[in-house]
């Protein structure tokens, strides 16, 4: 919002909040964001100097050509999808769609990027190069919307990409940046262990898949703790066990499910090979069999050091004493923003949106999740300032 009058700043702040509340009332699940995309497209077409297209049925791209001279092309990204959660916030603008809720801040991300588009499109004379605004569908569900819009060509010619995420565990007025690894690659697996069922009183006549499951779970815990450098971050968690129907029946099969989280590409490929090796050995020893369905999710997200350094300057120059700038730590969560980073360097910015005094403390993906709406203004300012700084021609 740099360069606008105070009255325009206040009007924009209220407009962004209004957009966020409308989106919060009308959430849509991944790959179903038809009304959300239509709303965003309509708002963008009301703004001057933008070329608006839809690279997929539920995503929207706006392009703005700067008039200050040649420069770089910057992509700014916001995600738009909601989650299958019944809202329990009690807010006046709570979800009107039963069982669907914006419980991860994507309504705020979309509103912030709309605000940035409004500011930048009104003043192209202050902008070099080109800015693309991608309102992306389906961050919450693999294979993810980011890869789909990348495959549609929106990254062609892009020099740098910037994304943001509002975080309720972090207080408002805090911005977090980190060079290098920030978010992990979130992979998933499902295993079926097949033995021979029978009466619980006669286990010697069975091949008990419940016992096999216990052996497998314990063995898996040695893959990282006993076979890798302890300073190398990774997670292997078995989070589901399904098997059996009665207390006196040994089932024929047991199903396990879980997740693997890594930052390193080589380690990501190595872990499922070790899982397979242990499964083969344990089931062979007991005369059982198995199937392993291992699904790779999003890539790990690594922030570009040079872009992150420039954005630190942007935060200091734009927000100054209004926020505290902190160095982030790697997190085992995942984000499909990493798909953009296969095509151009970029940075993912974390913006604090929690407020203990106002009771805004619920974690993400929780029925009572919400954000401190004062954080929206900081997000708009960061998008705008990042676009103006990063589109400037390199010397």
């Amino acid at each position: 919002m740099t360069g606008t009058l105070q009255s325009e700043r206040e009007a924009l702040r209220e407009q962004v909040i209004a957009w966020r509340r409308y989106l919060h009332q009308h959430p849509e699940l991944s790959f179903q964001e038809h009304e959300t995309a239509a709303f965003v497209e309509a708002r963008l077409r009301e703004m001057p100097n933008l070329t608006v297209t839809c690279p997929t049925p539920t995503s929207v791209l706006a392009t703005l050509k700067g008039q200050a001279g040649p420069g770089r092309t910057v992509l700014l990204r916001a995600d738009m999808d909601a989650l299958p959660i019944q809202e329990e916030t009690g807010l006046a603008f709570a979800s009107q769609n039963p069982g669907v809720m914006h419980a991860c801040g994507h309504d705020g991300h979309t509103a912030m990027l709309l605000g940035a588009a409004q500011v930048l499109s009104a003043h192209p004379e202050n902008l070099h190069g080109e800015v693309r605004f991608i309102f992306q569908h389906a961050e919450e569900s693999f294979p993810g919307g980011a890869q789909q819009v990348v495959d549609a060509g929106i990254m062609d010619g892009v020099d740098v990409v910037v994304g943001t995420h509002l975080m309720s565990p972090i207080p408002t007025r805090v911005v977090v940046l980190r060079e290098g690894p920030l978010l992990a690659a979130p992979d998933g697996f499902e295993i079926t262990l097949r033995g021979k069922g029978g009466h619980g009183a006669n286990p010697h006549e069975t091949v008990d898949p419940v016992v096999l499951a216990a052996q497998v779970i314990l063995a898996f815990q040695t893959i990282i703790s006993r076979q890798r450098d302890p300073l190398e971050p990774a997670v292997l968690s078995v989070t589901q066990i399904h098997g059996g129907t009665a207390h006196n029946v040994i089932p024929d099969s047991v199903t396990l499910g879980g997740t693997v989280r890594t930052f390193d590409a080589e380690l990501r490929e190595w872990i499922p090979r070790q899982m397979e090796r242990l499964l083969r050995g344990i089931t062979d020893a007991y005369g059982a069999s198995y199937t392993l369905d291992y699904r790779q999710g999003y890539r790990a997200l690594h922030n570009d050091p040079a872009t992150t350094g420039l954005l630190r300057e942007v935060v200091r120059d734009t927000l100054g004493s209004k926020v505290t700038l902190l160095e982030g730590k790697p997190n085992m969560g995942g984000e499909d923003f990493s798909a953009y980073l296969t095509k151009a360097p970029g940075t993912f910015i974390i913006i604090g949106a929690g407020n203990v005094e106002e009771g805004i403390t619920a974690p993400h993906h929780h029925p009572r999740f919400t954000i401190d709406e004062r954080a929206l203004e900081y997000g708009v300012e960061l998008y705008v300032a990042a676009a103006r700084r990063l589109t400037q021609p390199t010397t």
Side-chain angles (χ1 to χ4, degrees):
M1 286 181 277
T2 303
T4 62
L5 299 173
Q6 184 62 30
S7 60
E8 292 176 331
R9 291 169 61 96
E10 293 174 357
L12 179 61
R13 183 185 303 115
E14 294 305 314
Q15 180 63 82
V16 170
I17 290 173
W19 283 333
R20 181 257 166 168
R21 293 184 176 185
Y22 174 85
L23 292 164
H24 193 87
Q25 283 184 302
H26 303 88
E28 294 177 294
L29 296 174
S30 302
F31 302 104
Q32 302 175 30
E33 309 94 332
H34 297 282
E35 295 303 320
T36 303
F39 174 83
V40 168
E41 181 181 1
R43 301 292 77 74
L44 291 169
R45 292 192 183 281
E46 295 168 352
M47 301 175 191
N49 304 308
L50 294 177
T51 301
V52 182
T53 59
C54 297
T56 71
T58 56
S59 63
V60 186
L61 176 70
T63 302
L64 173 64
K65 302 285 188 180
Q67 297 176 3
R72 300 199 297 169
T73 297
V74 174
L75 181 80
L76 304 179
R77 177 266 203 168
D79 42 13
M80 303 190 297
D81 54 328
L83 288 156
I85 296 173
Q86 182 62 44
E87 183 164 351
E88 298 175 5
T89 62
L91 294 169
F93 52 91
S95 171
Q96 296 180 3
N97 295 343
V100 184
M101 176 190 175
H102 272 296
C104 200
H106 297 189
D107 50 345
H109 305 162
T110 301
M112 292 189 306
L113 192 55
L114 280 172
Q118 180 165 302
V119 172
L120 290 166
S121 66
H123 299 280
E125 69 278 4
N126 297 330
L127 186 71
H128 289 81
E130 177 179 307
V131 178
R132 299 178 192 175
F133 309 84
I134 180 62
F135 296 84
Q136 179 209 306
H137 63 301
E139 186 277 330
E140 296 287 0
S141 295
F142 189 77
Q147 189 62 55
Q148 290 188 342
V149 296
V150 167
D151 291 343
I154 73 158
M155 290 293 292
D156 294 350
V158 170
D159 296 299
V160 65
V161 57
V162 176
T164 66
H165 205 303
L166 297 163
M167 295 294 291
S168 65
I170 300 173
T172 302
R173 301 173 62 89
V174 171
V175 174
V176 179
L177 282 168
R178 174 182 171 79
E179 298 176 4
L182 180 67
L183 294 167
D187 298 338
F189 62 86
E190 184 173 294
I191 298 164
T192 300
L193 299 168
R194 295 184 179 86
K196 177 184 176 184
H199 199 294
N202 301 308
H204 60 291
E205 297 176 354
T206 73
V207 177
D208 190 342
V210 177
V211 174
L212 286 174
Q215 297 271 4
V216 167
I217 293 169
L218 289 173
F220 277 4
Q221 299 313 300
T222 69
I223 291 176
I224 293 169
S225 68
R226 292 298 179 269
Q227 300 182 51
R228 300 297 297 200
D229 186 331
L231 299 180
E232 187 174 37
V235 169
L236 194 169
S237 294
V238 177
T239 59
Q240 300 178 62
I241 307 175
H242 304 286
T245 57
H247 71 279
N248 59 352
V249 177
I250 293 174
D252 285 316
S253 65
V254 169
T255 300
L256 306 177
T259 187
V260 174
R261 306 292 173 116
T262 56
F263 289 103
D264 180 77
E266 181 274 329
L267 178 58
R268 187 186 192 190
E269 299 296 330
W270 179 84
I271 288 176
R273 293 199 300 269
Q274 301 310 303
M275 294 170 64
E276 189 97 42
R277 180 176 61 83
L278 289 172
L279 283 166
R280 187 182 308 114
I282 292 170
T283 54
D284 283 352
Y286 285 88
S289 63
Y290 74 93
T291 56
L292 169 62
D293 179 15
Y294 193 95
R295 302 175 299 278
Q296 288 198 336
Y298 306 143
R299 302 169 185 86
L301 194 163
H302 293 256
N303 281 338
D304 175 61
T307 306
T308 305
L310 288 172
L311 288 173
R312 282 197 184 93
E313 296 177 9
V314 167
V315 172
R316 295 188 186 104
D317 295 344
T318 304
L319 298 178
S321 61
K322 290 192 291 185
V323 303
T324 300
L325 178 59
L326 298 180
E327 179 71 15
K329 297 180 180 180
N331 185 292
M332 286 299 179
E335 236 285 355
D336 75 341
F337 183 79
S338 56
Y340 301 104
L341 301 179
T342 65
K343 298 295 185 180
T347 295
F348 198 61
I349 308 171
I350 305 300
I351 301 172
N355 190 315
V356 174
E357 290 77 15
E358 296 186 9
I360 302 174
T361 59
H364 290 246
H365 296 208
H366 189 279
R368 292 192 292 278
F369 171 86
T370 190
I371 60 170
D372 184 343
E373 291 179 323
R374 288 176 295 181
L376 299 174
E377 179 180 358
Y378 302 140
V380 175
E381 291 193 61
L382 285 177
Y383 272 136
V384 170
R388 287 177 174 163
R389 176 65 180 273
L390 294 174
T391 53
Q392 292 179 9
T394 57
T395 56

